[in-house]
Amino acid sequence: LNPKSQPRPENTDLASAAVLAFSENERELRYFGVELLCKRPKAVDLEFAQKMVLWDPWWDTVDGMASNLVGPLVMADRINGQEQMREWLDHDNLWVRRASILHQLRYQAKTDKEFLFEACTKMAPETDFFARKAVGWVLRHYSRTNAKAVRQYLDSMGDSLSPLSRREGGKYC
């Protein structure tokens, strides 16, 4: 069989396959589910993506979904997507908040820096390692595009950011 001669699966099939993969205990199947969704982000919406984040809340699945699934979904509809990301920042679950802050990782020059700095400021008081690491990671990533803005932000925040967030965020600026 030549895979290219086969019809592409319907979006509902991809979403169902991802749910089936997440239903299994093996991490590798969950990674497969993440990869499936990330190959065709428009197969789902942000509500579905949030359910998947909550289904398996750990860095090894959430981080990939944040930048490769949630990010493209938000980019496709910036106004509504950013509004939902602000709602996610207020979510009770750390991993939903983490997905919100990390969704712009691949945006580079298209990063909404106001949202980025707002999200980092909102997450700055968090004491959880994964929250602090996310703040530093997203700042470090954006500093490759706009080191001056990140440096100004880090300086303006002072000790409000954890040492981990400051160290990670300031790595390239």
Side-chain angles (χ1 to χ4, degrees), residues 54-126:
L54 288 167
W55 187 327
D56 189 25
W58 197 242
W59 69 269
D60 62 346
T61 52
V62 170
D63 292 359
M65 286 190 284
S67 59
N68 298 305
L69 175 63
V70 176
L73 289 170
V74 172
M75 182 61 81
D77 184 2
R78 284 298 282 265
I79 294 170
N80 293 321
Q82 288 297 82
E83 182 179 316
Q84 286 187 313
M85 290 301 97
R86 282 186 170 83
E87 291 173 13
W88 286 26
L89 275 176
D90 291 327
H91 200 279
D92 292 339
N93 186 280
L94 161 72
W95 298 98
V96 173
R97 295 191 304 274
R98 182 174 166 101
S100 174
I101 200 169
L102 294 179
H103 84 274
Q104 294 191 98
L105 272 180
R106 298 191 182 279
Y107 284 14
Q108 299 172 332
K110 294 179 181 174
T111 297
D112 178 343
K113 73 178 182 179
E114 285 76 26
F115 175 81
L116 174 73
F117 296 145
E118 171 190 333
C120 290
T121 301
K122 193 162 204 157
M123 288 189 71
E126 301 232 14

Side-chain angles (χ1 to χ4, degrees), residues 33-53:
V34 170
E35 286 296 317
L36 257 181
L37 293 172
C38 294
K39 290 291 182 191
R40 201 170 339 149
K42 293 180 182 175
V44 297
D45 59 17
L46 285 169
E47 182 181 346
F48 182 90
Q50 186 184 76
K51 287 178 184 174
M52 298 306 284
V53 166

Side-chain angles (χ1 to χ4, degrees), residues 3-57:
K4 293 188 180 198
S5 68
Q6 302 301 311
R8 287 178 59 122
E10 295 293 323
N11 289 346
T12 55
D13 295 335
L14 288 175
S16 296
V19 166
L20 183 61
F22 268 64
S23 298
E24 300 298 325
N25 290 328
E26 292 82 5
R27 305 277 327 145
E28 293 79 9
L29 288 172
R30 293 179 184 193
Y31 302 152
F32 171 73
V34 170
E35 286 296 317
L36 257 181
L37 293 172
C38 294
K39 290 291 182 191
R40 201 170 339 149
K42 293 180 182 175
V44 297
D45 59 17
L46 285 169
E47 182 181 346
F48 182 90
Q50 186 184 76
K51 287 178 184 174
M52 298 306 284
V53 166
L54 288 167
W55 187 327
D56 189 25

